[in-house]
């Protein structure tokens, strides 16, 4: 992990030295345009989820979404990812090769809401599903759990329509709590391999507990619904 961080720093340093970063950030209008298209696509997806949340709350008297967060990948992260993949750092290459420049994270209370929202989003006729990864049914070895969707949505500009990719991550509050802490560990400096292994083990264990609780909470909720 230490080695990875060293490489990351080196990539960014090299990118800065070679003027790549400056070219992407300031001079290049096409890059700023591309990022603004991604921002629009992100806003489209966020609005779609807010609309679904509103409708669900009317129909089921309950809001399935706790919160929504959006983010655009920074120029530094874009350069690092493209360089790591051995791809040219150009606007065209970023658009055709990356699917997570725009990200929308949807946090729900219950697992069932994750799947209902995903189904509703994918079912909309202007949303094209490109890829789906179910890390809830098949968690990563680290213990990471979330449902990931890569979708393509149209954005309508002054004189054109463009199709843009957005990465959607849906997870429960508990899964999000876990992922935030695990993310902190991933970027921690000066940590010995023994402590790292120990903390990774603890996190994996917590992930299993969290998953069991998510399922129990869902069952309790289902039983309460049946009572009505
Ligand atoms: P950030 O800052 O969140 O954007 P790729 O998407 O091409 O990098 P892959 O394997 O196809 O690679 O994507 P994957 O693993 O399906 O999803 C990548 C994103 O999911 C990550 O983005 C994280 O946000 C999240 N993620 C995946 N695995 C883990 C994990 O083990 N722990 C945590 N905390 N998050 C994870 P980035 O780009 O790494 O970061």
């Amino acid at each position: 992990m230490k080695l990875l961080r060293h490489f990351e720093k080196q990539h960014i340093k090299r990118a800065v030295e070679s003027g790549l970063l400056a070219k992407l950030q300031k001079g290049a209008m096409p890059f700023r345009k591309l990022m603004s298209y991604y921002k629009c696509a992100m806003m489209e997806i966020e609005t779609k989820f807010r609309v679904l949340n509103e409708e669900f709350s009317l129909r089921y008297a309950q809001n399935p979404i706790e919160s929504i967060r959006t983010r655009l990948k920074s120029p530094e992260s874009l350069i690092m990812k493209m360089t790591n993949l051995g791809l040219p750092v150009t606007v065209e290459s970023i658009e055709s090769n990356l699917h997570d420049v725009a990200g929308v994270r949807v946090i729900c209370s219950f697992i069932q809401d994750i799947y209902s929202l995903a189904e509703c989003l994918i079912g909309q006729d202007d949303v094209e599903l490109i890829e789906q990864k179910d890390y809830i049914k098949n968690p990563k070895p680290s213990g990471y759990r979330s449902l990931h969707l890569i979708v393509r949505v149209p954005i309508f500009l002054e004189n054109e329509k463009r199709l843009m990719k957005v990465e959607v991550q849906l997870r429960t509050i508990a899964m999000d709590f876990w992922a935030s802490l695990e993310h902190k560990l991933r970027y921690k400096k000066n940590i010995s391999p023994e402590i790292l292994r120990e903390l990774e083990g603890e996190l994996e264990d917590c992930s299993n507990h969290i998953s069991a609780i998510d399922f129990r909470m869902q069952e309790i909720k289902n039983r309460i619904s049946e009572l009505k």
Side-chain angles (χ1 to χ4, degrees):
M1 208 153 67
K2 233 175 177 175
L3 202 62
L4 182 70
R5 274 195 302 270
H6 174 72
F7 279 129
E8 286 173 356
K9 275 192 197 146
Q10 288 298 103
H11 274 317
I12 292 175
K13 195 164 163 260
R14 254 182 270 136
V16 172
E17 282 166 2
S18 66
L20 266 176
L21 192 59
K23 191 173 152 215
L24 275 184
Q25 263 176 326
K26 295 198 190 88
M29 192 57 190
F31 176 68
R32 285 161 67 185
K33 256 193 183 176
L34 181 71
M35 294 311 278
S36 108
Y37 296 160
Y38 277 119
K39 191 175 168 195
C40 295
M42 214 165 64
M43 282 157 40
E44 286 284 346
I45 294 290
E46 183 179 1
T47 303
K48 283 177 179 296
F49 279 116
R50 293 207 182 279
V51 169
L52 287 172
N53 197 39
E54 185 62 29
E55 201 211 342
F56 274 50
S57 75
L58 280 177
R59 265 220 301 208
Y60 307 111
Q62 173 237 328
N63 289 100
I65 300 177
E66 285 297 324
S67 62
I68 303 181
R69 294 202 291 272
T70 57
R71 72 106 185 84
L72 276 183
K73 247 191 178 2
S74 67
E76 289 85 353
S77 308
L78 287 174
I79 290 172
M80 199 171 75
K81 189 153 188 179
M82 296 301 282
T83 319
N84 283 340
L85 292 169
L87 295 166
V89 188
T90 63
V91 166
E92 297 74 25
S93 179
I94 289 172
E95 191 174 5
S96 49
N97 292 298
L98 296 190
H99 54 242
D100 62 344
V101 179
V104 176
R105 190 169 288 160
V106 182
I107 315 297
C108 301
S109 295
F110 298 99
I111 292 179
Q112 189 50 53
D113 291 332
I114 291 177
Y115 289 104
S116 304
L117 287 166
E119 203 182 311
C120 289
L121 180 79
I122 295 164
Q124 298 185 3
D125 60 13
D126 57 347
V127 177
E128 181 197 350
L129 177 68
I130 297 174
E131 194 181 359
Q132 174 162 341
K133 289 188 205 162
D134 192 339
Y135 297 125
I136 297 175
K137 293 203 172 92
N138 306 296
K140 288 203 165 187
S142 61
Y144 177 76
R145 290 175 154 88
S146 285
L147 179 68
H148 287 196
L149 310 173
I150 309 293
V151 294
R152 198 168 4 228
V153 275
I155 55 162
F156 296 89
L157 304 163
E158 194 180 356
N159 295 313
E160 64 172 322
K161 168 181 152 184
R162 286 184 73 104
L163 295 170
M164 305 300 298
K165 280 185 268 184
V166 178
E167 182 186 69
V168 181
Q169 297 181 349
L170 297 115
R171 52 175 79 148
T172 61
I173 300 170
M175 291 171 194
D176 189 51
F177 179 39
W178 183 95
S180 315
L181 190 58
E182 197 268 355
H183 191 266
K184 280 202 179 91
L185 177 65
R186 273 207 279 166
Y187 290 95
K188 201 80 201 157
K189 292 175 197 150
N190 305 324
I191 185 162
S192 74
E194 297 79 44
I195 306 265
L196 181 62
R197 261 197 305 277
E198 189 193 321
L199 294 178
E200 282 173 346
E202 281 281 318
L203 278 165
E204 200 187 330
D205 193 39
C206 285
S207 168
N208 292 331
H209 283 296
I210 277 172
S211 169
I213 290 192
D214 269 340
F215 279 104
R216 283 177 72 187
M217 294 295 275
Q218 180 72 58
E219 273 173 22
I220 295 171
K221 185 191 170 229
N222 294 349
R223 288 181 62 189
I224 293 173
S225 305
E226 282 163 20
L227 291 178
K228 281 190 203 160

